[in-house]
Structures are given as C-alpha cells and as structure tokens.
C-alpha cells in the first residue's frame, strides 16, 4: 500500500518519533546509571547487545503499535512486523552501543518512519520523518520530509566547506576482522586528503553532525538500515546529500557517504576504486 504523504501525516510521524525517542533515551540513561548488563554478542565477540538495547526496543515498538497499529517495524534487535499502512518504522534502540557500555556520551536512539522507494537507499526505503536523540547531551535531532531538519527545534545546515583537505571527516568500523582490515587499508589511503578523521562510534550521530556542520562529511562501508535511516533524513533535510559507491548504487550498498554536495562527490571519487576490493 502507498500511503498518502500529506503534510499532516508527516508532521504527526515526526512528533511521534521525537516523543518516543525522548522517552526511550531517558530510559536507557536511567538503566545505565543502574549498571550496564551485556546480554550477548552478534556478528563477532565485540559486537555486543545490552539489556538496555533490548528493553528500549520493546518500549519503542510497543509505543508505535499503540499509536499507529498497522505500521510495520524493522528494528536492530530483531523486532519485525509487516505494514498494512505503507509506513514501516526503522529503529535503532541504541546506536553507539559500545559507547553506551563504556559511558562515552555519544549514543543515540534513532527512530525513522519510512516508505518503500527502490531508488532511495540500499534497503529500498526512504525515511519521511525521523528523530535521533542523544540523551546524554539532550540533543534532539529531528527531520520531516519537506520541512527541514532541526536540533532542539532550531533549523540546522551542513558546513559550507568545499575542500576535502580542509574537512573533518567521520567514519566508522564494522565488527568483523575482515571488514576492519579493509576499512583500515582504505583509511590509510584517504587520511592524507583530509584535515583529520573522527571515529565517534554512532553512525546516526555522525549523520546528525554532518547535518549541523560539526563535521564536514561521513563515510562508512557496511552500515545497516537502522544505523542510517533516521540520520540520513536529518542530513538530507538539512541540505547534505547521500551517495553510494557510484551513480548507479544508492547509499548503503555497502558504501554510505553523506556530506555537502561538493565534498560528498569528491569522497565518492576517492572511495570508488578503493571499495571495489571488497
Ligand atoms: C554501530 C555504530 C558505529 C558504526 C557501526 C555500527 P551499534 O552501531 O553506528 O558507529 O561504525 O558500523 O554497527 O552497533 O552501536 O548499534
Ligand atoms: Ca547501530
């Protein structure tokens, strides 16, 4: 089903995303002060999931089901539901779980309402309303398609920088040895082209920082739809663009680039030959 994307619906969805992400963010902070419990690991021994990831996801899914029964769910810790409305919520209950475990204040709740769009991103979906909430800093990044992006209610925009040599670039690393080895090789080639590199540890937060110009651009190989869905809408509504490895590949299959148009395009040119290795 294709939903009628009226302004009223889009604004209803962004209000819901901000309310639920704030509530979940406050809950994960409260759980953290009571002590972190690592509940298991996923793709490798260092890819951990905490009790807070799971309980926040349950809370978010229940809140969405109560407000909008019939919407679909696709969430990092395993909750899924088919959509009967054409809207599917893509959820990362804690993006930056390793930061959460260590008490580094760069973890976010990311909630995005998405619709099917085969050309948009690697998962064939695009967000129309989203919230990314960092509870440690009380930063609420939100975006609604056609209505811009906001940080705590104020409009945000990416950097005006056009030279990669003057740019602060964020990236991230996956959890498997093979992926990390490739990412390290690529970074060793790229780093002389940049002002410097940041590895902040939350892809959703990286994308929001592109959106508000704290960093110039971001790239990563192998992030998942729940990592990018919310932050990508915040970045693009702010005025950044997202790119994949080349013109025929949407962002996220498997390369994800975000930045102001000139910088994102320069990054794509540098990254394309390097990512063909794997
Ligand atoms: C991770 C973070 C990290 C990125 C990884 C993601 P998680 O998500 O976004 O910055 O580099 O690729 O898997 O595991 O903290 O939800
Ligand atoms: Ca994540």
């Amino acid at each position: 089903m294709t939903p009628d994307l009226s302004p009223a619906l889009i604004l209803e969805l962004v209000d819901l995303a901000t309310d639920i992400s704030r509530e979940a963010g406050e809950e994960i902070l409260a759980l953290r002060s009571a002590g972190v419990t690592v509940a298991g690991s996923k793709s490798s021994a260092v890819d951990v999931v905490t009790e807070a990831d799971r309980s926040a996801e349950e809370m978010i899914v229940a809140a969405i089901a109560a407000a909008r029964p019939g919407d679909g769910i696709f969430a990092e810790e395993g909750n899924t539901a088919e959509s009967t409305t054409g809207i599917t919520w893509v959820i990362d209950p804690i993006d930056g779980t390793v930061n959460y475990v260590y008490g580094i204040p760069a973890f976010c709740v990311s909630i995005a309402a998405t619709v099917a769009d085969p050309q948009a991103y690697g998962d064939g979906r695009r967000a129309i309303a989203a919230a990314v909430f960092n509870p440690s800093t009380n930063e609420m990044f939100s975006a609604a398609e056609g209505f811009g992006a906001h940080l705590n209610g104020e409009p945000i925009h990416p950097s005006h920088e056009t030279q990669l040599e003057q740019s602060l670039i964020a990236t991230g690393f996956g959890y498997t040895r093979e992926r990390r080895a490739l990412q390290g090789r690529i970074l060793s080639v790229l780093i002389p082209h940049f002002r410097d590199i940041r590895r902040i540890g939350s892809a959703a937060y990286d994308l929001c920082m592109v959106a508000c110009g704290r960093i110039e651009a971001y790239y990563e190989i192998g992030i998942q739809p729940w990592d990018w869905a919310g932050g990508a809408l915040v970045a693009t509504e702010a005025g950044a663009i997202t790119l994949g490895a080349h013109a025929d590949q949407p962002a996220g299959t498997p390369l994800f680039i975000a930045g102001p148009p000139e910088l994102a395009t320069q990054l794509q040119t540098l990254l394309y030959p390097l990512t063909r290795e794997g």
Side-chain angles (χ1 to χ4, degrees), residues 20-278:
I20 298 175
S21 61
R22 186 177 296 282
E23 203 186 326
E26 285 165 1
E27 176 68 13
I28 60 175
L29 264 196
L31 287 171
R32 195 173 194 292
S33 51
V36 181
T37 314
V38 173
S41 60
K42 297 185 284 186
S43 61
S44 78
V46 292
D47 182 7
V48 293
V49 56
T50 68
E51 289 296 349
D53 288 89
R54 291 181 179 164
S55 66
E57 184 165 304
E58 295 306 325
M59 170 198 268
I60 294 164
V61 168
I64 291 171
R68 291 188 48 89
D71 283 1
I73 298 288
F74 184 59
E76 174 166 18
E77 306 312 338
N79 279 281
T80 55
E82 284 297 317
S83 177
T84 58
T85 60
I87 306 282
T88 293
W89 293 84
V90 180
I91 299 159
D92 197 334
I94 305 180
D95 185 52
T97 299
V98 174
N99 286 341
Y100 182 77
V101 170
Y102 280 80
I104 297 168
F107 51 86
C108 299
V109 179
S110 175
I111 303 181
T114 70
V115 293
D117 181 346
Q119 269 88 52
Y121 288 99
D123 61 342
R125 311 201 63 81
R126 82 170 199 276
I128 53 170
V132 177
F133 181 54
N134 179 343
S136 309
T137 55
N138 199 27
E139 291 171 306
M140 174 64 75
F141 293 91
S142 61
E145 190 172 74
F147 291 91
H150 295 86
L151 167 53
N152 293 340
E154 297 296 322
I156 50 175
H157 300 287
S159 165
H160 294 299
E161 182 56 57
T162 58
Q163 303 301 313
L164 273 183
E165 286 70 16
Q166 296 296 320
S167 295
L168 191 56
I169 308 293
T171 191
F173 306 112
Y175 291 108
T176 64
R177 285 175 172 219
E178 299 71 27
R179 164 96 6 110
R180 284 186 178 177
L182 171 68
Q183 288 165 326
R185 287 195 293 277
I186 291 174
L187 184 56
S188 72
V189 176
L190 291 182
I191 197 165
H193 295 273
F194 306 151
R195 173 190 293 274
D196 206 348
I197 274 283
R198 291 291 178 272
R199 195 292 192 251
I200 289 155
S202 162
Y205 202 39
D206 289 325
L207 288 164
C208 291
M209 289 201 275
V210 169
C212 67
R214 274 183 213 159
I215 55 176
E216 262 80 28
Y218 160 78
Y219 78 90
E220 187 168 342
I221 302 163
I223 58 168
Q224 302 296 324
W226 46 76
D227 299 315
W228 77 62
L233 185 67
V234 174
T236 55
E237 279 295 319
I241 61 167
T242 57
L243 297 173
H246 59 82
D248 299 332
Q249 261 187 7
T253 52
L255 177 63
F256 200 105
I257 300 170
E262 265 190 70
L263 294 178
T265 312
Q266 290 171 47
L267 265 179
Q268 187 187 46
T269 306
L270 283 175
L271 276 158
Y272 177 59
L274 301 171
T275 53
R276 299 187 75 191
E277 195 188 326

